[in-house]
Amino acid sequence: MTFNRRQFLMATASLCLYPVSGRSVEAMKESRAILDEGLHWLGHSNAERVCRRVKEAGFNVLVPCIWHGRGTTWPSRLAPRDERLQSYIKAQGAKFDPLQILLTTAKKHALEVHPWFSLGLWNRKDLFPDLAVKGTKSFDWYKPAFRDRITQIVMEVVSKYAVDGVNLDYVRFSIPQGKRADEAERAISEVMRRINKEGKRLKANLVISVDAAPWKPDIKAFGQNAPKWADEGIVDVVYSMQYHANPDFGIIKSIQSRMKRPEALVVMVGNFDRLGPGHAVAERNPARVSELISKARAISRGNGVALYYYGRLSDRQIDALKKGVFQAKARPQWKTA
């Protein structure tokens, strides 16, 4: 039997990923992140279920939202608790620490955990109202007191818990800043630099990622410039939020071509479809989710792939992922700044 070049490459590639003659081989290296914007992971049984399903699907990085502009989900000296935890605290006491429970559970499943902070989102009117922009859903990045407070909140988690990274979201104002756009970017960049400097001082291997929209023509008017932050080395990974049914992968390749660190830019695809102009969403076809991940993987330069979000991760999607694009097991790999 003879092989052409393509058949030979496919055969040898498969030997790198799958067992040979009954012997196990080292898992491939690829970061596979999934974001959980809800609180599906609160408590022992919920943390176990989330970690088990995430691992079963083939992911190896869990990104749980622990700060959504509502307060903390961990016992903190810097801010009040998220009001959604009240029933748990009433039942288990003020020391109830779902983040520690999740970290302990994730370790058993060999999952990295990168807590997610929606930095600039103001989602609760009695939470630091003097640090917010009235009439918007945004904290006021121009105020040094806010920049200090939000940096301290992130650092409290990094210093207290065995986290592998931090994920920074809502790194912007909620409305365009007009003539103050450059000033807004400088203020936000200051926070990013501080989180990088202080975070890496505490944990040298801390992975700092940011959720961003570099493809959006006017995003800089909101004070966000994620490719620049990546090139300056103050963030390691930029997750480009492209949840729509037909993401423009070409624009991501174009942005990468202009970056000093193109490996930082990763397409984060969605596993849901919107049912109209409102916010109602439905499960995206599992085959389409797998296809989108494959396309995102094809233009990744070493920081893997990401999926938003756990709340719509169905059993059908899990089955398709573990039998398809995530059939080969993988360990996280990061190309950091």
Side-chain angles (χ1 to χ4, degrees):
M1 177 183 291
T2 59
F3 290 86
N4 61 34
R5 175 178 171 79
R6 180 173 179 273
Q7 290 170 327
F8 175 78
L9 291 174
M10 290 180 67
T12 54
S14 68
L15 295 177
C16 299
L17 302 179
Y18 300 105
V20 180
S21 302
R23 292 182 290 110
S24 63
V25 296
E26 183 181 10
M28 66 183 291
K29 295 179 180 180
E30 179 183 58
S31 301
R32 301 169 178 174
I34 184 168
L35 282 71
D36 182 7
E37 192 167 7
L39 296 176
H40 303 92
W41 46 275
L42 290 184
H44 291 280
S45 61
N46 289 331
E48 175 62 33
R49 182 174 188 272
V50 168
C51 290
R52 177 182 53 77
R53 296 182 79 239
V54 164
K55 188 70 174 183
E56 182 184 0
F59 295 98
N60 51 33
V61 181
L62 177 60
V63 185
C65 188
I66 67 169
W67 172 270
H68 207 258
R70 298 173 181 268
T72 70
T73 51
W74 67 97
S76 173
R77 61 180 180 80
L78 298 171
R81 288 289 197 107
D82 188 317
E83 69 272 28
R84 295 173 294 175
L85 271 67
Q86 291 309 311
S87 61
Y88 288 88
I89 294 171
K90 185 176 180 179
Q92 302 189 41
K95 293 184 179 180
F96 172 61
D97 192 343
L99 179 54
Q100 184 57 61
I101 292 170
L102 178 62
L103 287 165
T104 301
T105 306
K107 185 176 181 180
K108 293 191 302 180
H109 290 271
L111 290 169
E112 287 192 5
V113 178
H114 297 213
W116 166 5
F117 300 82
S118 293
L119 298 182
L121 181 61
W122 184 41
N123 233 346
R124 175 177 163 185
K125 298 308 179 185
D126 65 341
L127 179 66
F128 309 143
D130 55 319
L131 302 181
V133 181
K134 301 298 186 294
T136 75
K137 294 192 69 175
S138 177
F139 282 111
D140 193 342
W141 292 90
Y142 298 125
K143 292 186 176 181
F146 168 69
R147 300 199 296 271
D148 289 344
R149 181 62 58 89
I150 200 63
T151 301
Q152 291 165 359
I153 286 170
V154 175
M155 286 305 104
E156 182 180 58
V157 170
V158 174
S159 64
K160 182 178 179 181
Y161 297 97
V163 300
D164 301 286
V166 291
N167 176 259
L168 310 177
D169 190 19
Y170 219 87
V171 189
R172 59 180 176 82
F173 280 88
S174 61
I175 58 175
Q177 294 303 291
K179 294 181 179 179
R180 299 188 74 181
D182 289 343
E183 181 185 355
E185 182 189 321
R186 287 193 295 272
I188 295 171
S189 296
E190 178 195 317
V191 173
M192 306 297 279
R193 288 191 184 91
R194 289 175 60 180
I195 290 174
N196 178 285
K197 182 178 180 180
E198 296 178 30
K200 304 249 181 182
R201 177 179 59 82
L202 291 168
K203 289 183 171 69
N205 295 323
L206 188 75
V207 178
I208 300 174
S209 61
V210 60
D211 304 328
W215 45 269
K216 196 173 186 296
D218 65 342
I219 193 62
K220 292 180 183 179
F222 295 80
Q224 184 180 106
N225 195 344
K228 178 182 177 182
W229 299 335
D231 284 345
E232 291 178 352
I234 58 178
V235 300
D236 298 307
V237 181
V238 176
Y239 286 126
S240 179
M241 303 181 293
Q242 292 178 281
Y243 313 141
H244 30 290
N246 296 293
D248 185 345
F249 291 95
I251 197 171
I252 297 303
K253 289 192 285 186
S254 176
I255 295 170
Q256 285 176 327
S257 71
R258 300 191 297 271
M259 292 177 65
K260 296 177 183 177
R261 292 189 59 243
E263 67 274 15
L265 191 55
V266 175
V267 177
M268 179 158 59
V269 299
N271 63 338
F272 61 93
D273 288 307
R274 298 197 181 277
L275 301 179
H279 295 288
V281 296
E283 170 195 350
R284 181 166 284 167
N285 181 279
R288 180 58 175 162
V289 174
S290 295
E291 181 184 11
L292 290 172
I293 290 175
S294 292
K295 289 182 176 181
R297 170 186 279 166
I299 64 171
S300 176
R301 303 282 188 95
N303 279 307
V305 292
L307 182 72
Y308 174 81
Y309 63 115
Y310 176 83
R312 286 292 168 179
L313 183 66
S314 69
D315 290 342
R316 292 198 316 144
Q317 290 175 353
I318 290 174
D319 190 60
L321 291 170
K322 71 181 183 182
K323 292 179 179 177
V325 290
F326 291 162
Q327 181 178 11
K329 294 182 179 179
R331 295 187 293 110
Q333 173 180 264
W334 302 104
K335 285 189 176 181
T336 56

